[in-house]
Amino acid sequence: MKKLTKSMTSFIVPLLSILLAFIIGAIIMLALGANPLTALQYLIKGAFGSVANIGTTFSKATPLIFTALCACFAYKCGVFNLGGEGQFIIGSVACYLVAYCSGITGLPGILLSLLAGTIAGGIWGLIPGVLKISRGQNEMIISIMLNYVATLFMGVIYTNWLRDASVPQTPAIPDGVMLPRVINGMRFSWAFVIALVVGLVLYYFLFWTSDGFKLRAVGYNMTASRFNGFPVKRYILTSFIISGAIAGLGGGAELLGTQFRLINGFGAGYGFDGVAMALIGQLHPIATVLVAIFFAALRVGSTTMQAATGVPTSVSDIIQALVIVFSVAGMALTKLPEFEAFKLRYFGKHKKEATDK
């Protein structure tokens, strides 16, 4: 019963958060003189109304899925990796250098480039992990600072070392290492499929393997895990490496599948967006993937909504922000002693009545 109640709470909190956010969004639309139902209709149509729109939504969701899974995996081990953006960028830089400079094309070139991005992201995630377990440093501050280092390093590449003539960007990667589209006529590439596979693999590892159980145990209570003989420091370091590798793979996949070059603003905001989506998904890999697709749908559909009804895209941004606020607040509320006592009193009463019958 306790496990069922916890599962229901994990499902209800995000659902209520989304519902409340849309209700407030509808009130804002009414204040702007628009019909909320019509605006919502065009929002959905803009995201899923055609094959091309669905492809665009999946394409926009791809980097969000990677950075969200990056945060999800680290948080499951009880550490706070806020460097998903930097790891994403470093992964894309390493992927670009291999794809552009190696001269290897075709499937071997794609795999080698993605591997380079994955390794680079893992190494970038290793830095805060090593400093945490060896020196006791705060991983949140270090990982955030590394985001700026990665961004500035990428800037040196596209403005100086590999600048494309007078344009502040790098030349495009060769056609032979670009990820192909999954379906002709749809914008999303195999990067989206890779993101889904990563989500399924993480779900299997975390919930169906002994190492995944131990990693989650460390996240629940490091002290108890240490007294039970778990190598806590090793799991912490491993979580940083794998978390960074996921983001680095995402950066490489985004580069090969959508962007094709390094340019100003590449990867900006994905890291912190991923953290929010992981929290809304209750740190469950599959739920996190669905939340990322939902946010991508809001961003893609808002353009059509604005063109058809005059409701500005900023209303969609407000809805996204409210979903985050309500979800985090709801999660905090469910952990209060008063809420736990309410669940025990309410569900315990029903359980006793069922037993008596």
Side-chain angles (χ1 to χ4, degrees), residues 15-87:
L15 194 62
L16 285 177
S17 301
I18 293 172
L19 181 60
L20 288 173
F22 271 102
I23 290 175
I24 295 177
I27 295 173
I28 296 174
M29 293 175 192
L30 285 172
L32 294 174
N35 186 330
L37 294 178
T38 303
L40 181 60
Q41 178 184 352
Y42 279 104
L43 180 70
I44 297 174
K45 183 178 180 181
F48 301 107
S50 66
V51 172
N53 291 352
I54 294 174
T56 302
T57 299
F58 287 168
S59 177
K60 294 291 185 182
T62 301
L64 298 175
I65 293 174
F66 278 111
T67 54
L69 292 175
C70 161
C72 176
F73 188 84
Y75 284 27
K76 273 296 184 183
C77 192
V79 295
F80 302 98
N81 180 13
L82 299 181
E85 182 176 316
Q87 294 146 18

Side-chain angles (χ1 to χ4, degrees), residues 308-319:
T309 64
V311 177
T313 56
S314 57
V315 174
S316 173
D317 296 334
I318 293 173
I319 292 174

Side-chain angles (χ1 to χ4, degrees), residues 19 49 75 189 196 207 222 234 240 254 267 291 294:
L19 181 60
Y75 284 27
S189 67
L196 296 182
F207 296 100
M222 291 187 183
R234 190 181 76 187
F240 271 108
E254 178 71 2
V291 171
F294 167 74

Side-chain angles (χ1 to χ4, degrees), residues 24-294:
I24 295 177
I27 295 173
I28 296 174
M29 293 175 192
L30 285 172
L32 294 174
N35 186 330
L37 294 178
T38 303
L40 181 60
Q41 178 184 352
Y42 279 104
L43 180 70
I44 297 174
K45 183 178 180 181
F48 301 107
S50 66
V51 172
N53 291 352
I54 294 174
T56 302
T57 299
F58 287 168
S59 177
K60 294 291 185 182
T62 301
L64 298 175
I65 293 174
F66 278 111
T67 54
L69 292 175
C70 161
C72 176
F73 188 84
Y75 284 27
K76 273 296 184 183
C77 192
V79 295
F80 302 98
N81 180 13
L82 299 181
E85 182 176 316
Q87 294 146 18
F88 183 92
I89 291 173
I90 284 295
S92 65
V93 168
C95 179
Y96 176 83
L97 293 175
V98 172
Y100 182 74
C101 301
S102 67
I104 303 174
T105 58
L107 183 60
I110 293 174
L111 295 178
L112 184 62
S113 300
L114 291 177
L115 179 62
T118 304
I119 294 174
I123 294 173
W124 209 249
L126 174 68
I127 298 173
V130 169
L131 291 175
K132 179 178 176 62
I133 66 174
S134 64
R135 307 296 297 176
Q137 300 297 314
N138 188 307
E139 73 273 20
M140 292 188 289
I141 295 175
I142 296 171
S143 57
I144 289 175
M145 293 300 102
L146 287 173
N147 290 341
Y148 295 102
V149 176
T151 302
L152 293 173
F153 178 67
M154 180 180 67
V156 172
I157 293 176
Y158 70 73
T159 59
N160 192 347
W161 294 350
L162 293 174
R163 181 169 180 153
D164 187 12
S166 61
V167 182
Q169 64 182 28
T170 61
I173 59 175
D175 294 343
V177 289
M178 293 180 182
L179 284 173
R181 303 285 173 85
V182 178
I183 301 174
N184 291 332
M186 300 185 76
R187 186 181 174 186
F188 73 102
S189 67
W190 282 95
F192 178 74
V193 178
I194 296 173
L196 296 182
V197 171
V198 171
L200 291 175
V201 170
L202 287 188
Y203 168 73
Y204 176 79
F205 173 78
L206 287 172
F207 296 100
W208 294 94
T209 66
S210 59
D211 284 333
F213 169 77
K214 293 176 182 177
L215 186 141
R216 288 187 291 119
V218 171
Y220 286 132
N221 194 318
M222 291 187 183
T223 303
S225 299
R226 186 178 294 107
F227 276 106
N228 280 276
F230 291 0
V232 173
K233 288 186 176 181
R234 190 181 76 187
Y235 277 108
I236 290 175
L237 191 60
T238 301
S239 70
F240 271 108
I241 295 173
I242 295 179
S243 176
I246 294 170
L249 174 61
E254 178 71 2
L255 180 89
L256 300 185
T258 304
Q259 193 67 37
F260 308 131
R261 67 180 78 234
L262 301 177
I263 192 172
N264 182 36
F266 178 73
Y270 288 148
F272 292 107
D273 287 345
V275 171
M277 293 168 196
L279 292 175
I280 295 171
Q282 305 286 305
L283 303 183
H284 191 288
I286 295 178
T288 298
V289 170
L290 295 177
V291 171
I293 295 174
F294 167 74

Side-chain angles (χ1 to χ4, degrees), residues 9-10 13 282 328-337 339-340 343:
T9 303
S10 300
V13 168
Q282 305 286 305
V328 174
M331 290 172 61
L333 177 65
T334 57
K335 296 184 183 301
L336 291 175
F339 186 82
E340 293 292 338
K343 287 196 303 180

